[in-house]
Amino acid sequence: MMDDGVDTERAVPDDGSADEEEVDLLQRSNPCPSGWTQINSRCFKYVPRPLSWDGAEKNCLSMGANLASVQDMNEYHQIKSVISMASSGSKETWIGGTNVQELNIWLWTDGSPFSYTHWCPGEPSNFQGNQRCLQMNYSAQKCWDDLNCSEKLPSVCGKKVKSV
């Protein structure tokens, strides 16, 4: 038999297995589910449907997430970008901060430390004693504001990247 330089015995059969390998590689390179955006070691998703803060947290929990916590300024700007790209603007949006358990003690629903803040001037104000939930993108300054938890806003969910 003549050697024409083609190794026919090593040809990959067209049984779809190569496609499965490509999909597996793609899933490993993007550890977030479809529709979620990776920022640092977490995945974030903008939810456009206006819900109360409790409803938004419950919705995030149904996806294995919490309302998003914000750990630093860089992450805050990236979350703002996620909102802006998904909503064609910088809409007021629920994130996971609350002081519903004790006034003046703000906590993230995911249990992470509440160390970074981006409050608007004069906030949190707890206006009329019933603003216990955290919205971002408030006012022209796009800062944080405490708001009545029953107000209906879009939200951002966050969850840890799944380890492979």
Side-chain angles (χ1 to χ4, degrees):
M1 185 181 241
M2 234 173 33
D3 184 9
D4 58 2
V6 177
D7 189 356
T8 54
E9 290 190 36
R10 290 189 167 199
V12 178
D14 190 15
D15 62 1
S17 60
D19 292 336
E20 289 173 21
E21 286 177 29
E22 283 180 36
V23 168
D24 188 44
L25 285 172
L26 285 172
Q27 287 173 340
R28 273 189 266 162
S29 66
N30 182 8
C32 296
S34 177
W36 293 70
T37 301
Q38 184 177 356
I39 301 172
N40 301 323
S41 62
R42 296 187 296 154
C43 302
F44 294 88
K45 180 181 180 100
Y46 176 75
V47 178
R49 187 176 54 166
L51 297 167
S52 68
W53 188 91
D54 288 331
E57 174 68 8
K58 186 176 179 182
N59 183 55
C60 291
L61 287 169
S62 77
M63 295 183 278
N66 291 92
L67 281 169
S69 61
V70 182
Q71 303 306 312
D72 58 45
M73 187 185 339
N74 180 47
E75 192 170 86
Y76 178 69
H77 288 294
Q78 290 185 62
I79 293 169
K80 274 182 26 178
S81 291
V82 167
I83 294 167
S84 182
M85 287 188 302
S87 69
S88 301
S90 297
K91 297 183 176 179
E92 295 168 351
T93 304
W94 289 129
I95 54 177
T98 182
N99 71 343
V100 75
Q101 300 215 341
E102 189 173 336
L103 191 63
N104 299 324
I105 297 180
W106 285 85
L107 303 169
W108 293 117
T109 58
D110 66 6
S112 62
F114 199 95
S115 49
Y116 170 79
T117 63
H118 193 74
W119 293 109
C120 296
E123 299 297 342
S125 65
N126 195 31
F127 182 69
Q128 296 182 337
N130 64 355
Q131 294 186 327
R132 309 301 288 266
C133 295
L134 178 53
Q135 68 170 321
M136 64 180 281
N137 285 337
Y138 181 71
S139 77
Q141 296 170 309
K142 304 300 175 200
C143 43
W144 294 1
D145 174 48
D146 56 344
L147 185 65
N148 185 316
C149 303
S150 64
E151 294 290 327
K152 294 189 181 331
L153 297 177
S155 55
V156 175
C157 301
K159 62 182 174 178
K160 290 183 179 171
V161 167
K162 286 188 177 181
S163 11
V164 180

